[in-house]
Amino acid sequence: MSRSLTFSFDIGYASIGWAVIASAPHDDADPSVCGCGTVLFPKDDCQAFKRREYRRLRRNIRSRRVRIDRIGRLLVQAQIITPEMKETSGHPAPFYLASEALKGHRTLAPIELWHVLRWYAHNRGYDNNASWSNSLSEDGGNGEDTERVKHAQDLMDKHGTATMAETICRELKLEEGKADAPMEVSTPAYKNLNTAFPRLTVEKEVRRILELSAPLIPGLTAEIMELIAQHHPLTTEQRGVLLQYGIKLARRYRGSLLFGQLIPRFDNCDQP
């Protein structure tokens, strides 16, 4: 009796799994596996890898824009800044403003606070994909990220600093307390430091800046500060407050407006 062959393929972005199955000679017998295997493509040779990287980059850019827009809308709705302020160009050295505020050399005006928060929205610190680590066995990091985190810690140890903003100023030789001293320094200069500061470090300094600014900025209430930068996920009540401000978050969004992110779709059953 002739036996038919079935060819099966599992096509991934960096590999192809295959198997050849021979039908059973009799109806009551099991089919047999003639052969199976996997073809792995080198990362740089896989066209799908490049497309995936471009897609990830586009998503990161979009999520950052959405994050900044939400924070700006919240500040406008709370009457901390005006719609015109929200659309202004950023400060050339927002990390300098942040460091001056942390060291007590400057009281941030509302528009300066907006510039600082917008900068932190671009530089939230490295969390090793914490939202994913609850769902995946891998830790989400890689050797390059680990090296950048270590470099950031080495710089903080070198300068005796505890915040990202102060460390950047020390490394760029910017001295706080001198009026507009770093205005000739372009913001991208700090990116050449090749650092990734821990997310918890950045969270603490942002909350400290908000606490220092609150007494002198009307509308910057404890409720607003928590919506922007609290560590734990937003409650159902807080999401309701954001809805009143016209800001609707996806069900699988976890965290504050500044430090939150979407979690994997396969781990959203416990979301409020």
Side-chain angles (χ1 to χ4, degrees):
M1 178 184 295
S2 61
R3 303 173 66 186
S4 61
L5 297 178
T6 299
F7 295 85
S8 300
F9 300 93
D10 179 13
I11 301 176
Y13 66 84
S15 64
I16 297 178
W18 62 270
V20 180
I21 309 297
S23 62
H26 306 287
D27 293 340
D28 57 350
D30 295 328
S32 58
V33 178
C34 301
C36 61
T38 303
V39 178
L40 300 177
F41 301 113
K43 182 175 68 172
D44 295 335
D45 293 343
C46 181
Q47 293 181 359
F49 171 78
K50 291 186 178 296
R51 290 198 299 271
R52 184 167 61 93
E53 287 296 298
Y54 290 141
R55 183 173 64 251
R56 182 180 63 84
L57 180 60
R58 289 194 301 270
R59 288 176 175 173
N60 285 343
I61 292 173
R62 180 184 180 279
S63 64
R64 187 181 302 122
R65 287 175 177 170
V66 171
R67 183 184 312 129
I68 292 172
D69 181 65
R70 285 171 176 163
I71 296 172
R73 286 163 58 193
L74 177 62
L75 296 181
V76 170
Q77 291 294 323
Q79 298 184 346
I80 296 173
I81 62 174
T82 65
E84 292 74 23
M85 289 180 180
K86 178 177 178 290
E87 302 303 325
T88 57
S89 301
H91 191 277
F95 47 84
Y96 180 78
L97 297 179
S99 184
E100 282 209 313
L102 289 166
K103 294 177 73 67
H105 293 302
R106 177 189 294 260
T107 300
L108 296 179
I111 192 170
E112 291 176 327
L113 178 64
W114 166 231
H115 291 324
V116 167
L117 291 176
R118 186 161 53 185
W119 178 70
Y120 278 113
H122 283 269
N123 304 274
R124 303 190 302 165
Y126 180 67
D127 71 341
N128 200 27
N129 290 326
S131 293
W132 286 81
S133 62
N134 294 330
S135 308
L136 304 179
S137 58
E138 296 84 356
D139 63 10
N142 57 54
E144 182 181 354
D145 290 334
T146 302
E147 186 65 29
R148 293 174 63 219
V149 171
K150 182 179 183 304
H151 187 209
Q153 187 60 57
D154 288 343
L155 288 181
M156 287 192 287
D157 293 341
K158 169 186 173 183
H159 297 293
T161 52
T163 67
M164 176 172 66
E166 292 174 280
T167 304
I168 291 174
C169 286
R170 295 285 75 71
E171 189 65 14
L172 296 182
K173 296 180 173 59
L174 301 177
E175 184 177 348
E176 297 88 340
K178 294 186 176 180
D180 296 336
M183 294 307 98
E184 71 277 5
V185 178
S186 61
T187 300
Y190 71 89
K191 295 183 178 180
N192 296 329
L193 300 180
N194 192 34
T195 54
F197 290 83
R199 173 67 59 83
L200 288 178
T201 297
V202 179
E203 285 185 11
K204 291 178 181 178
E205 68 185 90
V206 170
R207 288 196 292 271
R208 181 58 180 160
I209 290 172
L210 290 171
E211 291 168 357
L212 291 170
S213 303
L216 297 176
I217 297 183
L220 187 57
T221 62
E223 179 183 60
I224 295 297
M225 291 190 289
E226 289 175 351
L227 292 174
I228 293 174
Q230 71 182 23
H231 177 68
H232 51 277
L234 297 172
T235 64
T236 301
E237 291 74 17
Q238 288 177 312
R239 286 172 173 261
V241 172
L242 287 175
L243 275 177
Q244 295 176 10
Y245 287 125
I247 301 173
K248 183 178 181 180
L249 301 177
R251 185 171 180 269
R252 61 191 181 95
Y253 184 91
R254 179 177 295 171
S256 62
L257 292 183
L258 179 53
F259 296 108
Q261 65 186 69
L262 294 173
I263 63 170
R265 293 184 182 275
F266 44 81
D267 186 34
N268 64 357
C269 58
D270 62 340
Q271 293 304 291

